[in-house]
Amino acid sequence: MAMLEVHDINVYYGAIHAIKGISFEVNEGEIVTLIGANGAGKSTTLKTISGLLHSRTGSITFQGENIAGTAPHKLVGKGLAQVPEGRAVFLQMTVEENLEMGAYTRPNAEVDPGLEKVYDQFPRLKERRKQIAGTLSGGEQQMLAMGRALMSSPRLMMLDEPSMGLAPILVDQIFDIIRSLHKNGTTILLVEQNARMALSVADRGYVLETGKIVTSGSGKELLSDESVKKAYLGG
């Protein structure tokens, strides 16, 4: 069953038509990825789902409810969490304070068990829990942003360019974490420049070009699709 259904959304930045009538779905328990060049509309799509931008048409349905026009903080309470591009951690706060911010929609009784769960998943964060977030490496900040999203107990986690700016060894680590989150039951919508890595973990993928979906298929199908290989996989 579709956990998220995006139907015929059109999004504009002023006069620029950024998203042109796209439709797709994410089923419960899947990793679905949106791939495409810079400026194809991937991040804009995520921002529209999470209520930061608005579509002029169509509908966005999450767990059977049309959420178009719902305030972003209310969506977190409904089980939708976004890990933003560029991580956006609170640089002056400690690791643990950042994580606690992620639990603002949860009852107080859930905060400590939530922290334990995140520290199990991210032992590095546990080691650094009293450290100021601004002093962490890029990879650690990405882990913190993911851990913070996990604190809201999301049904669907949306990741916007999690590997951006990271060294290859850290990219591998982040994708191992994505696999592990998925194995533990989190449904994931992944926007990612590293198309090869994204398709290797995804159940299904959609290819965006200039605001339109031009190809879709299983991760395996898209990895072996000649046009996708040529455009996004370096041959």
Side-chain angles (χ1 to χ4, degrees), residues 16-30:
I16 297 164
H17 194 177
I19 300 292
K20 301 165 184 162
I22 70 172
S23 300
F24 65 92
E25 61 185 36
V26 180
N27 297 312
E28 189 153 359
E30 282 189 314

Side-chain angles (χ1 to χ4, degrees), residues 7-72:
H7 177 67
D8 188 31
I9 61 170
N10 283 274
V11 182
Y12 293 78
Y13 289 112
I16 297 164
H17 194 177
I19 300 292
K20 301 165 184 162
I22 70 172
S23 300
F24 65 92
E25 61 185 36
V26 180
N27 297 312
E28 189 153 359
E30 282 189 314
I31 297 181
V32 171
T33 187
L34 306 178
I35 64 168
N38 255 336
K42 307 182 302 295
S43 293
T44 301
T45 300
L46 288 198
K47 285 177 182 159
T48 307
I49 295 166
S50 60
L52 298 166
L53 296 170
H54 298 295
S55 172
R56 290 193 190 171
T57 60
S59 61
I60 300 170
T61 308
F62 179 58
Q63 301 187 116
E65 178 188 350
N66 187 0
I67 57 168
T70 304

Side-chain angles (χ1 to χ4, degrees), residues 5-226:
E5 285 182 272
V6 174
H7 177 67
D8 188 31
I9 61 170
N10 283 274
V11 182
Y12 293 78
Y13 289 112
I16 297 164
H17 194 177
I19 300 292
K20 301 165 184 162
I22 70 172
S23 300
F24 65 92
E25 61 185 36
V26 180
N27 297 312
E28 189 153 359
E30 282 189 314
I31 297 181
V32 171
T33 187
L34 306 178
I35 64 168
N38 255 336
K42 307 182 302 295
S43 293
T44 301
T45 300
L46 288 198
K47 285 177 182 159
T48 307
I49 295 166
S50 60
L52 298 166
L53 296 170
H54 298 295
S55 172
R56 290 193 190 171
T57 60
S59 61
I60 300 170
T61 308
F62 179 58
Q63 301 187 116
E65 178 188 350
N66 187 0
I67 57 168
T70 304
H73 67 279
K74 291 201 170 141
L75 292 177
V76 177
K78 291 178 189 292
L80 186 71
Q82 180 168 345
V83 179
E85 185 180 348
R87 310 185 248 290
V89 298
F90 300 105
L91 297 174
Q92 269 75 49
M93 294 164 76
T94 66
V95 165
E96 194 149 292
E97 286 166 343
N98 266 273
L99 292 174
E100 287 167 352
M101 291 294 281
Y104 74 95
T105 61
R106 311 305 299 171
N108 286 343
E110 290 183 20
V111 175
D112 286 343
L115 284 170
E116 282 314 305
K117 206 168 151 189
V118 169
Y119 289 147
D120 282 349
Q121 182 78 58
F122 300 97
R124 184 85 57 86
L125 296 183
K126 187 171 190 176
E127 288 164 22
R128 307 216 184 315
R129 64 185 184 274
K130 299 299 177 202
Q131 201 168 315
I132 297 295
T135 64
L136 300 178
S137 70
E140 289 163 347
Q141 286 189 18
Q142 184 61 51
M143 290 175 197
L144 179 54
M146 291 165 82
R148 183 180 61 190
L150 268 184
M151 288 292 292
S152 69
S153 297
R155 301 288 311 285
L156 174 64
M157 188 185 280
M158 302 197 298
L159 297 165
D160 194 354
E161 303 285 8
S163 78
M164 187 186 268
L166 298 182
I169 189 163
L170 289 172
V171 173
D172 288 342
Q173 264 181 28
I174 292 297
F175 274 89
D176 285 344
I177 291 164
I178 291 170
R179 284 188 188 93
S180 159
L181 292 175
H182 178 237
K183 207 168 81 185
N184 292 335
T186 307
T187 303
I188 293 170
L189 176 58
L190 171 66
V191 154
E192 180 55 64
Q193 284 263 245
N194 187 331
R196 189 181 299 281
M197 289 294 276
L199 292 172
S200 70
V201 299
D203 297 293
R204 293 184 305 108
Y206 296 88
V207 181
L208 264 76
E209 279 177 20
T210 57
K212 290 180 179 161
I213 289 171
V214 292
T215 314
S216 64
S218 72
K220 280 197 181 77
E221 285 165 356
L222 293 175
L223 274 173
S224 56
D225 180 295
E226 286 307 322

